[in-house]
């Protein structure tokens, strides 16, 4: 039985690489944010603005526990998922955690046109974006670094996919 959790910062490719790797490994694919949205009939942005981040993190933890019961699955987490409660320890106990690691410059470039659905980034100007990512990533890195596997994703997509397939 395989259960893989992709973790990493927003824009690191958890969803896009997750879909490809899941298909190549013959696993089901679940995106935790999409799972939450389909359960609550609301976008992540709406949940954030109606209930606040604290409540979102509680929902996220509950939904993580639901999807972690699935078998032969690759789960793409939200960027913050491993950084709250005991979520990281929980994932390490339930499956294989894979950190998709990217630099702030690489992430800022990817995220500059993909901020709208991300409540934590939406209000940042392009100038503020890389600074915010650097600071926020530094706080999150100690959690991400506890993943069982780390893959350097500042690379061409085909190389990243190859590395993921070799290591997952
Ligand atoms: C978040 C990342 C988002 C989503 C929410 C909060 C974060 O997921 O869960 O906006 O705290 O990093 P993606 O990493 O899929 O963008």
């Amino acid at each position: 039985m395989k259960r893989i959790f992709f973790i990493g910062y927003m824009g690191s490719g958890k969803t896009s690489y997750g879909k490809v790797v899941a298909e190549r490994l013959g696993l089901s694919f679940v995106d935790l944010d999409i799972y939450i949205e389909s359960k609550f009939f609301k976008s992540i942005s709406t949940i954030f603005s109606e209930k606040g981040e604290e409540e979102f993190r509680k929902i996220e933890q509950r939904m993580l526990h639901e999807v972690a019961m699935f078998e032969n699955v690759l789960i793409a987490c939200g960027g913050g998922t491993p950084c709250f409660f005991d979520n990281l320890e929980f994932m390490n106990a339930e499956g294989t955690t894979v950190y998709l690691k990217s630099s702030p410059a690489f992430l800022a470039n990817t995220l500059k046109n993909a901020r709208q659905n991300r409540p934590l980034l939406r209000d940042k100007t392009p100038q503020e974006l890389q600074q915010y990512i650097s600071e926020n990533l530094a706080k999150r890195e100690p959690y991400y670094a506890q993943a069982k596997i780390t893959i350097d994703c500042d690379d061409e997509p085909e190389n990243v996919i190859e590395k993921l397939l070799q290591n997952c």
Side-chain angles (χ1 to χ4, degrees):
M1 197 280 288
K2 245 184 200 283
R3 185 181 297 118
I4 298 172
F5 298 95
F6 273 14
I7 65 171
Y9 204 75
M10 292 175 268
S12 57
K14 301 178 296 291
T15 302
S16 48
Y17 290 131
K19 283 183 186 160
V20 175
V21 172
E23 187 174 355
R24 298 272 286 272
L25 297 179
L27 303 172
S28 306
F29 174 74
V30 176
D31 181 283
L32 184 58
D33 282 337
I34 294 173
Y35 186 83
I36 294 169
E37 291 179 335
S38 68
K39 281 260 169 163
F40 285 76
F41 302 105
K42 283 178 182 179
S43 69
I44 298 295
S45 297
T46 305
I47 299 175
F48 254 76
S49 58
E50 286 182 0
K51 297 178 188 286
E53 180 172 356
E54 213 177 307
E55 188 56 29
F56 170 74
R57 296 302 173 190
K58 292 182 191 159
I59 292 171
E60 180 179 49
Q61 183 188 35
R62 278 210 317 276
M63 298 300 110
L64 174 66
H65 282 242
E66 281 191 22
V67 300
M69 292 174 65
F70 303 155
E71 299 195 340
N72 296 316
V73 66
L74 190 157
I75 298 158
C77 296
T81 314
C83 313
F84 292 84
F85 312 113
D86 64 348
N87 291 349
L88 201 263
E89 290 88 334
F90 172 76
M91 289 189 272
N92 272 335
E94 297 298 328
T96 305
T97 46
V98 182
Y99 173 26
L100 278 64
K101 186 178 169 104
S102 283
S103 64
F106 196 94
L107 293 168
N109 189 46
T110 309
L111 288 166
K112 63 181 189 291
N113 298 320
R115 278 172 295 151
Q116 225 33 50
N117 311 327
R118 291 182 163 105
L120 297 176
L121 305 179
R122 204 176 15 221
D123 302 334
K124 307 281 178 277
T125 65
Q127 292 72 26
E128 289 166 341
L129 191 62
Q130 188 169 333
Q131 177 70 15
Y132 174 80
I133 293 171
S134 297
E135 290 169 9
N136 194 214
L137 186 57
K139 290 188 200 141
R140 290 180 170 190
E141 187 71 35
Y143 297 94
Y144 295 150
Q146 293 174 54
K148 291 182 188 165
I149 297 168
T150 296
I151 302 293
D152 175 11
C153 294
D154 283 7
D155 203 344
E156 295 302 322
E158 53 271 30
N159 295 338
V160 176
I161 290 168
E162 204 45 53
K163 287 186 270 188
L164 287 166
L165 288 170
Q166 276 169 15
N167 288 279
C168 282

